[in-house]
Amino acid sequence: MEKLKLGIPKGSLENATVDLFKKAGWQISISSRSYFPGIDDEEIKCSLIRPQEMGKYVERGTIDVGIAGRDWIRENESDVIEVCEMVYSKVSRRPARWVLVVNGNSKIQGPEDLHGATISTELVGFTKRYFAERNIPVNVEFSWGATEAKVVEGLCDAIVEVTETGSTIKANGLRIVTELMESVPVMVVNKAAWEDPWKRAKIEQIATLLQSSLRAEGMVGLKMNAPKEKVAEITAVIPSLKSPTVANHYNSDWVSIESIMPEQEVRRIVPELIKLGAEGIVEYSLNKII
């Protein structure tokens, strides 16, 4: 039996990735003692891999397909195929941002003010290229962690750090000078694997279902019964991906109306629907929107 070698990002994206696969229809079980998670699909073999290394393993063909932040793919300049992006993380559904940060009382207002400065970051390669492209000579040092503390303690002039909300940066009395890169998780594939018809079909299947699960987040289905003469008024207030579905009841002057909408809209429109004569209103959750 052919097998697709799938890389699961170890670390901050690990649990969110497993949850996403569960919604898409795959059960992944991870043991603290193994780097090879189990999965309820005989055609897939999983490996836990640090996002920082995912691109190089995919490029080599050690694994066929993996998920990692676009930032680390760009950091390593990995020669891989990007199938799709998936906006999810451990904190929010917003992209991560790599930002240039200085002490709150620093006089630095832009990257050009860092001529000759020392910058600490985990994203060394990208940061060096960023300043080189702008002809700004800087010294970029690799940070083994606690990067924000380095600029607070004066161990460097600035840092390039990742953030989603910026709250931790502000809490430490630091200031964002500019954004260098926005990053989201992406699915990347080895070039040879992408040319293999069986592997490509399997990868496309996974990508389709993962993306459909992401599209379903925050969305619900709403169905109700209503008098036929109220259909136009009711459908006018219902948000929908396209247009609501209306079906006649057998031997009746009533219809069923069904629609998919953002969950937060339900609380707003239900009172209106009741006033217009809708009955038997049912809200249901969604796993996928394909």
Side-chain angles (χ1 to χ4, degrees):
M1 179 183 294
E2 292 195 72
K3 281 189 180 288
L4 182 75
K5 295 173 289 185
L6 170 66
I8 302 295
K10 182 175 176 58
S12 63
L13 282 177
E14 186 176 324
N15 291 335
T17 301
V18 171
D19 289 344
L20 179 58
F21 268 85
K22 183 177 180 179
K23 291 177 183 177
W26 284 275
Q27 293 282 348
I28 296 175
S29 55
I30 296 178
S31 168
S32 59
R33 298 182 179 181
S34 174
Y35 285 94
F36 303 99
I39 186 170
D40 61 345
D41 188 330
E42 294 180 347
E43 297 177 338
I44 300 176
K45 179 183 178 181
C46 294
S47 299
L48 273 180
I49 297 174
R50 288 284 179 187
Q52 295 91 330
E53 300 178 300
M54 189 73 74
K56 66 181 182 182
Y57 285 124
V58 172
E59 181 177 352
R60 293 174 189 168
T62 307
I63 58 173
D64 298 312
V65 56
I67 297 171
R70 183 179 281 133
D71 45 5
W72 294 111
I73 304 302
R74 293 181 64 181
E75 166 70 4
N76 296 316
E77 297 184 288
S78 302
D79 186 17
V80 294
I81 294 172
E82 182 179 313
V83 177
C84 61
E85 64 178 39
M86 296 175 289
V87 183
Y88 73 99
S89 74
K90 64 175 181 177
V91 177
S92 68
R93 290 297 181 258
R94 69 184 74 184
R97 299 179 298 140
W98 283 91
V99 291
L100 180 64
V101 177
V102 296
N103 215 317
N105 57 13
S106 172
K107 295 181 180 179
I108 295 169
Q109 297 299 318
E112 63 281 356
D113 297 329
L114 285 164
H115 190 284
T118 297
I119 300 172
S120 185
T121 183
E122 290 182 79
L123 208 68
V124 174
F126 173 84
T127 302
K128 285 181 176 180
R129 292 192 297 272
Y130 177 89
F131 282 93
E133 288 167 3
R134 289 157 181 78
N135 295 316
I136 304 170
V138 293
N139 176 37
V140 181
E141 297 180 339
F142 179 76
S143 173
W144 291 95
T147 308
E148 290 162 344
K150 291 180 172 64
V151 73
V152 171
E153 295 296 325
L155 299 177
C156 60
D157 301 295
I159 62 173
V160 171
E161 181 67 322
V162 66
T163 183
E164 287 185 17
T165 65
S167 57
T168 302
I169 290 172
K170 292 178 183 178
N172 283 291
L174 306 178
R175 174 169 53 84
I176 295 175
V177 175
T178 189
E179 180 179 309
L180 275 60
M181 172 174 51
E182 190 174 86
S183 177
V184 296
V186 291
M187 178 181 286
V188 291
V189 182
N190 173 267
K191 288 185 172 181
W194 193 241
E195 294 301 317
D196 181 295
W198 183 87
K199 289 184 177 181
R200 182 166 182 162
K202 188 69 177 179
I203 292 165
E204 289 175 338
Q205 175 202 23
I206 295 170
T208 295
L209 293 175
L210 291 179
Q211 288 189 302
S212 71
S213 296
L214 287 172
R215 281 194 292 269
E217 290 192 349
M219 303 292 285
V220 296
L222 199 70
K223 62 190 334 182
M224 69 209 73
N225 298 322
K228 284 183 179 179
E229 66 268 19
K230 294 291 185 178
V231 170
E233 293 177 76
I234 289 175
T235 55
V237 302
I238 297 177
S240 177
L241 289 179
K242 289 188 177 179
S243 59
T245 299
V246 180
N248 291 318
H249 286 191
Y250 179 67
N251 282 341
S252 172
D253 291 330
W254 283 64
V255 297
S256 293
I257 302 173
E258 189 167 1
S259 183
I260 294 173
M261 65 191 69
E263 184 176 14
Q264 62 186 12
E265 291 293 318
V266 175
R267 65 191 181 200
R268 177 183 64 82
I269 68 168
V270 164
E272 295 183 57
L273 296 174
I274 294 172
K275 289 179 182 178
L276 291 170
E279 296 181 2
I281 301 171
V282 177
E283 177 187 338
Y284 54 92
S285 59
L286 303 171
N287 279 333
K288 305 176 188 70
I289 297 176
I290 300 174

